[in-house]
Amino acid sequence: GAGVSQSPSNKVTEKGKDVELRCDPISGHTALYWYRQRLGQGLEFLIYFQGNSAPDKSGLPSDRFSAERTGESVSTLTIQRTQQEDSAVYLCASSSSGFSGANVLTFGAGSRLTVL
Amino acid sequence: KNQVEQSPQSLIILEGKNCTLQCNYTVSPFSNLRWYKQDTGRGPVSLTIMTFSENTKSNGRYTATLDADTKQSSLHITASQLSDSASYICVVSVRGSTLGRLYFGRGTQLTVWP
């Protein structure tokens, strides 16, 4: 597609429920990233996928968080047993390469998660 | 500790006026610094990238500066427009790292009033 697509755009759930957030990166982009942005805060790195390499999961805040990506396509971020502290905007970004040269991240519009 | 600090946290200016946003960082070894613009409800969009050897770079009404010695960057917006109202985020990357290891500032929320 022309840009990074994320769904749902908004999700309201009850504490304790599981949620799945989806990211469809730009076609051909090998690198995919998930970030979390709490209200008034900076972006927090969650996880990074590069091609078929093992993902960098070092930013995941707890074992309730997991993410998958098949090949260089869609990724899903799953949050199990959601807590109110999980309320945030979850941003996905993709890039044509995973190295911090001149490559630019292209962000999706985000999925706003509200845990009641 | 790698950190990126931005100031001011928020700023209100009148349409047509200029403003300057600041970014101080302690990230090392430095690779590059980007300024992103994030409109409400949207993902961040890159405005400009500064590498170690660059001092100033312009993109339309946006001019970014970098002082690698003092580890400071600024984003100057000239002749502001209502559409400039957004959060401006400073992002610094570490040399040799993947893009997953970017360090984000909290952003400056700019509001332009008519």
Side-chain angles (χ1 to χ4, degrees), chain A residues 50-102:
Chain A
Q50 172 61 40
N52 293 316
S53 302
D56 177 355
K57 303 180 181 179
S58 59
L60 295 178
S62 76
D63 58 8
R64 295 187 296 105
F65 288 73
S66 63
E68 292 184 350
R69 186 186 189 197
T70 303
E72 296 180 356
S73 60
V74 172
S75 174
T76 56
L77 176 69
T78 302
I79 309 173
Q80 296 178 309
R81 306 181 300 282
T82 52
Q83 304 293 313
Q84 289 182 332
E85 68 210 40
D86 299 333
S87 296
V89 175
Y90 290 83
L91 287 162
C92 174
S94 70
S95 173
S96 58
S97 171
F99 292 96
S100 59

Side-chain angles (χ1 to χ4, degrees), chain B residues 19-75:
Chain B
C19 66
T20 300
L21 314 179
Q22 300 289 344
C23 174
N24 296 336
Y25 61 93
T26 59
V27 176
S28 182
F30 175 84
S31 175
N32 60 61
L33 181 150
R34 301 175 194 270
W35 283 93
Y36 281 82
K37 178 186 179 188
Q38 186 176 21
D39 292 312
T40 300
R42 311 291 289 271
V45 175
S46 177
L47 291 175
T48 185
I49 177 174
M50 306 289 291
T51 58
F52 186 86
S53 60
E54 295 176 309
N55 298 119
T56 184
K57 182 175 286 187
S58 292
N59 177 6
R61 294 180 297 103
Y62 300 103
T63 299
T65 66
L66 174 66
D67 186 332
D69 292 332
T70 61
K71 298 187 177 180
Q72 296 180 325
S73 176
S74 67
L75 180 68

Side-chain angles (χ1 to χ4, degrees), chain A residues 16-58:
Chain A
K17 300 288 188 182
D18 297 351
V19 297
E20 269 193 7
L21 309 177
R22 176 188 168 107
C23 173
D24 200 342
I26 292 175
S27 178
H29 277 193
T30 59
L32 185 147
Y33 314 81
W34 283 98
Y35 292 89
R36 179 171 68 179
Q37 187 175 33
R38 290 190 167 122
L39 186 64
Q41 303 294 313
L43 275 71
E44 301 173 67
F45 166 73
L46 295 177
I47 189 168
Y48 158 66
F49 295 90
Q50 172 61 40
N52 293 316
S53 302
D56 177 355
K57 303 180 181 179
S58 59

